[in-house]
Amino acid sequence: MCGIFGCIIRDGQAVKLITDGLKRLEYRGYDSIGVATLLDGELHVRKDMGKLEEVVEGQRVNEMMGSIGMGHTRWATHGAPSMVNAHPHMDGSGNIALIHNGVIENYMELKEELIEKGHTFVSRTDTEVIPHLIEEELKSDIGMKGAILRVLRRLKGSYAVVVLSTHEPNRIFCARHESPLVIGVSDNGTFCASDVPAMLPYTNQVAYLRNGEMAVMSLDGYEIVKVIDGSAVERDLEEITWSLEMAEKQGYTHFMLKEIYEQPHSLRNGLRLQEQYLNLLTQFLDMGKEVLLTAAGTSYHSCLAASYIFSKLSRLTTIPVVSSEFIERYGSTVGIDSIVLAVSQSGETYDTLKAIDHARMRAGTVLGITNTVGSTMTRVSRAYLIQQSGPEIGVAATKTFTSQVMVLTQLAMRLAKQRGKLSQDELDEYEKKLKLIPDWVETVIENSAEAIEALAEKYQDEKLFLFLGRGISTATALEGRLKLLEITYVPSLAYPAGESKHGPISIIEDDVACVFVCPRGETHAHIIGSIMEMKARGARIISICEEGDEEVKRLSDDAIEIPKGIPEELSPVPYVVPLQLLSYHLAVLKGLDPDMPRNLAKSVTVP
Ligand code: G6P
């Protein structure tokens, strides 16, 4: 997501450190750049869309003077990439500048309240409400720290913010809730940034802010307080021993691993969808005579999983179709009564955009789910939702799959509610469980990371893998197999388990590895039958099953257990995580680079 850097220094111009810091945050992905400095009690702000070098040159950023300042790389979530939407954002008086990483869920109501009080807004971001709220609170003469604390208590969602103000020109205020922020101290001054790499050339002495904490930085160091009650927090500096390259990956050996571990966080963001767009998409889905889901690669697997969820929760038949096949298969039937829900992480996949074009030409209604605000998909869809997973650098999609499934599940639940297809109790139960998914994923990672590494060692010379699942777990199995293919190049098959009798069983002989995805639920008894069939023919069985599922464990050579209580309809997200990790470790053991698999591209923008 967005990158943040702030500093207050004794010697030199802050802008030099800020632009260098932003350069080291570039790997996070961004569409716009902005810098603010304070000089002689005045705020100076320069920002624009584009690459760092372009904005620095175009806006003459290097000419900005001052020993205190901050910079921002923006990855759009609310409001397309543009100069006005770039950070910093200001209050009405021009005395407060603020940069933000995260999503403010309740910004619409806060904005309406501020508009009633006479505030005017220039951008379409959620962020801009924050400096305006601070401006309001300052009217009660409680100082910057008091005003910011009051405002933070009103924000729902996630944030890392840095604030500069002419009211207190020798201080930087920063705070975090669910978006990262780290403080650093050197002989020359005090720093804050989204990530350690941004400040590593200046200091390796850092203190991590925790959720719900605010820091006031000055040349003398920092003071940390709790947002909830303003009470002081003691936090000593830690020494970072990572190299710059390691620090970019936050200590992980590869981006893919970092992104797998980021999933609890990205999934929490995926629960913060904008209500009005969720409702809008739901209404369109309800109107169509037919609903086609179209996507490529991993995004297609999200669609496949979603087709089960729409059917079970909202009683809506949807047809998932690989986007490169869309025109041949449904091109002559798609029309004014069709809803085409297209899913694309990048929003730029050629085949998916072609399918969209075709559907639009035939008067179909196109809806989109993407990770990229401002992508072609957001321009050509009638309405779209942003999956909020942040930039993904590893070519093999991991966190973007789980976020897409999360978004699609929320759509299905909203539609179920609108159509009255589930009772209030059932809806409440799903809602409760959906909110637990990020925690479940966290538990899966914590509990099984070591076991999966050991599993990868055991199976590292395997020549062939077969992935099987039934019902919605077919999608999980297909996605697990795709990860393996993409980054380890080991031949593999994935099938609905019931279909294995019609072909794949012929390849089973001693020691072929069979990976079963078997959550508890309606498919459980059947999948046990399939495991037995494979085992009887000599296959080695690896199961991803529910904790304490003794029946499956008894039949398996190896089992990875997933926490209890996850409804089968919600299982793809937690159950896919061990498969992502297994592929990752297998690739590393084979000496391959999982971040850059051969012949594959992150975004396929050609036919
Ligand atoms: C490429 C990538 C995959 C991705 C697919 C679809 O094949 O390597 O990781 O799933 O494109 O991309 P999209 O951006 O449309 O989701």
Side-chain angles (χ1 to χ4, degrees):
M1 286 249 175
C2 308
I4 279 178
F5 183 88
C7 66
I8 170 163
I9 51 170
R10 287 192 172 81
D11 293 328
Q13 300 299 333
V15 77
K16 171 82 184 79
L17 279 65
I18 294 168
T19 50
D20 283 356
L22 294 184
K23 182 87 200 142
R24 281 184 295 276
L25 289 170
E26 271 191 317
Y27 72 92
R28 295 166 71 93
Y30 67 98
D31 49 63
S32 325
I33 293 285
V35 175
T37 57
L38 263 166
L39 179 70
D40 301 332
E42 256 185 56
L43 263 173
H44 300 268
V45 172
R46 296 191 187 176
K47 58 185 190 178
D48 205 352
M49 219 174 109
K51 292 278 134 209
L52 180 63
E53 287 76 12
E54 292 161 12
V55 179
V56 167
E57 200 188 316
Q59 295 292 318
R60 307 212 310 252
V61 170
N62 283 334
E63 294 171 14
M64 295 172 80
M65 306 290 273
S67 58
I68 174 166
M70 61 188 184
H72 187 261
T73 54
R74 175 172 190 248
W75 165 270
T77 59
H78 293 60
S82 68
M83 188 195 257
V84 277
N85 287 337
H87 299 211
H89 288 284
M90 312 284 288
D91 70 329
S93 69
N95 288 313
I96 301 166
L98 178 140
I99 55 179
H100 168 218
N101 171 21
V103 178
I104 304 302
E105 281 167 39
N106 57 337
Y107 85 100
M108 284 299 271
E109 60 189 76
L110 295 169
K111 194 165 177 173
E112 275 161 25
E113 176 191 312
L114 287 160
I115 288 171
E116 264 180 35
K117 288 186 175 152
H119 290 253
T120 50
F121 292 87
V122 293
S123 79
R124 303 200 48 176
T125 63
D126 50 341
T127 305
E128 201 185 354
V129 296
I130 315 176
H132 283 262
L133 285 169
I134 300 173
E135 182 186 10
E136 269 301 308
E137 293 295 349
L138 277 175
K139 288 183 183 160
S140 43
D141 216 12
I142 47 169
M144 282 298 289
K145 181 175 152 191
I148 295 171
L149 283 174
R150 276 198 195 165
V151 171
L152 295 175
R153 289 177 199 135
R154 298 196 63 197
L155 303 180
K156 290 203 185 113
S158 60
Y159 58 79
V161 288
V162 184
V163 192
L164 287 185
S165 165
T166 57
H167 299 299
E168 294 185 37
N170 299 319
R171 288 187 167 157
I172 296 179
F173 302 85
C174 58
R176 71 157 278 187
H177 181 67
E178 291 192 9
S179 299
L181 203 63
V182 59
I183 294 173
V185 176
S186 80
D187 291 344
N188 192 29
T190 312
F191 309 83
C192 64
S194 308
D195 271 349
V196 170
M199 61 175 75
L200 211 49
Y202 315 118
T203 182
N204 62 356
Q205 301 293 319
V206 307
Y208 289 91
L209 269 196
R210 300 201 186 137
N211 280 341
E213 290 179 349
M214 172 174 142
V216 182
M217 294 163 41
S218 66
L219 276 180
D220 300 327
Y222 59 90
E223 170 207 346
I224 301 179
V225 295
K226 284 195 182 145
V227 170
I228 194 156
D229 56 8
S231 60
V233 176
E234 283 298 314
R235 178 83 28 79
D236 290 335
L237 291 165
E238 309 174 23
E239 187 178 321
I240 296 287
T241 50
W242 305 336
S243 67
L244 196 57
E245 200 212 347
M246 271 171 87
E248 280 189 345
K249 296 171 191 152
Q250 285 167 13
Y252 294 103
T253 35
H254 295 96
F255 282 111
M256 183 181 176
L257 190 62
K258 171 176 170 276
E259 285 154 5
I260 293 173
Y261 273 70
E262 247 166 37
Q263 289 177 109
H265 175 74
S266 53
L267 288 166
R268 283 184 191 113
N269 273 343
L271 285 168
R272 301 194 172 101
L273 299 179
Q274 287 186 275
E275 281 290 313
Q276 71 268 38
Y277 297 122
L278 192 55
N279 286 335
L280 189 60
L281 263 78
T282 306
Q283 272 155 24
F284 279 124
L285 285 173
D286 200 21
M287 274 162 33
K289 283 234 168 61
E290 62 172 7
V291 178
L292 300 158
L293 310 176
T294 196
T298 288
S299 299
Y300 169 70
H301 294 151
S302 306
C303 291
L304 188 61
S307 67
Y308 290 86
I309 304 172
F310 277 121
S311 149
K312 291 206 180 257
L313 269 56
S314 358
R315 314 286 189 262
L316 174 77
T317 302
T318 56
I319 306 169
V321 52
V322 166
S323 53
S324 56
E325 288 294 308
F326 183 93
I327 297 174
E328 281 300 312
R329 202 159 159 200
Y330 297 107
S332 333
T333 53
V334 71
I336 197 156
D337 294 329
S338 315
I339 303 290
V340 176
L341 174 56
V343 180
S344 171
Q345 186 281 129
S346 59
E348 300 293 350
T349 296
Y350 178 88
D351 288 323
T352 308
L353 294 180
K354 272 279 161 218
I356 292 176
D357 274 355
H358 188 89
R360 288 178 76 204
M361 204 180 65
R362 293 185 54 99
T365 301
V366 173
L367 309 175
I369 294 180
T370 179
N371 197 26
T372 319
V373 181
S375 60
T376 307
M377 190 182 220
T378 60
R379 292 197 298 273
V380 297
S381 304
R382 185 81 178 270
Y384 62 87
L385 276 168
I386 298 295
Q387 61 187 71
Q388 312 280 21
S389 30
E392 190 176 63
I393 294 170
V395 166
T398 51
K399 63 174 180 165
T400 57
F401 171 74
T402 50
S403 292
Q404 286 169 350
V405 175
M406 194 77 156
V407 172
L408 287 157
T409 307
Q410 288 170 87
L411 261 180
M413 280 168 55
R414 191 57 59 101
L415 185 59
K417 185 174 177 186
Q418 177 154 320
R419 294 181 146 198
K421 296 296 183 189
L422 292 177
S423 69
Q424 193 55 49
D425 283 354
E426 287 172 310
L427 273 171
D428 290 348
E429 186 61 18
Y430 275 121
E431 193 81 39
K432 199 171 98 198
K433 300 254 156 144
L434 192 75
K435 290 201 173 121
L436 284 171
I437 287 189
D439 299 344
W440 278 324
V441 168
E442 206 155 7
T443 310
V444 169
I445 293 173
E446 270 169 24
N447 293 356
S448 57
E450 262 179 48
I452 296 169
E453 225 176 316
L455 200 64
E457 270 184 35
K458 181 169 166 188
Y459 289 87
Q460 61 178 308
D461 297 322
E462 201 66 41
K463 296 280 173 295
L464 179 66
F465 282 84
L466 177 59
F467 289 75
L468 297 170
R470 201 173 169 110
I472 195 166
S473 300
T474 305
T476 318
L478 281 162
E479 177 57 12
R481 182 262 186 149
L482 180 60
K483 290 306 98 178
L484 189 84
L485 263 193
E486 283 176 308
I487 62 171
T488 72
Y489 323 139
V490 176
S492 53
L493 290 173
Y495 263 84
E499 187 68 7
S500 59
K501 285 197 233 31
H502 303 285
I505 202 164
S506 64
I507 61 166
I508 299 299
E509 53 184 1
D510 278 353
D511 285 346
V512 169
C514 246
V515 182
F516 278 91
V517 183
C518 28
R520 284 237 191 243
E522 284 168 18
T523 62
H524 193 255
H526 280 114
I527 204 99
I528 286 183
S530 302
I531 297 179
M532 285 170 159
E533 282 164 14
M534 295 300 169
K535 198 171 172 64
R537 286 162 179 83
R540 292 207 280 172
I541 310 293
I542 304 170
S543 307
I544 316 297
C545 64
E546 194 182 82
E547 198 179 347
D549 187 343
E550 298 307 326
E551 209 175 354
V552 166
K553 278 164 66 186
R554 236 188 343 267
L555 292 169
S556 307
D557 293 76
D558 295 280
I560 299 295
E561 295 180 68
I562 307 293
K564 277 197 172 120
I566 303 173
E568 195 169 10
E569 300 76 43
L570 304 184
S571 66
V573 171
Y575 279 70
V576 82
V577 175
L579 302 180
Q580 298 170 339
L581 281 168
L582 179 63
S583 296
Y584 169 80
H585 288 299
L586 283 169
V588 172
L589 284 168
K590 288 175 190 298
L592 302 169
D593 180 354
D595 286 343
M596 286 191 207
R598 72 179 180 213
N599 304 337
L600 297 177
K602 184 74 192 151
S603 181
V604 180
T605 53
V606 289

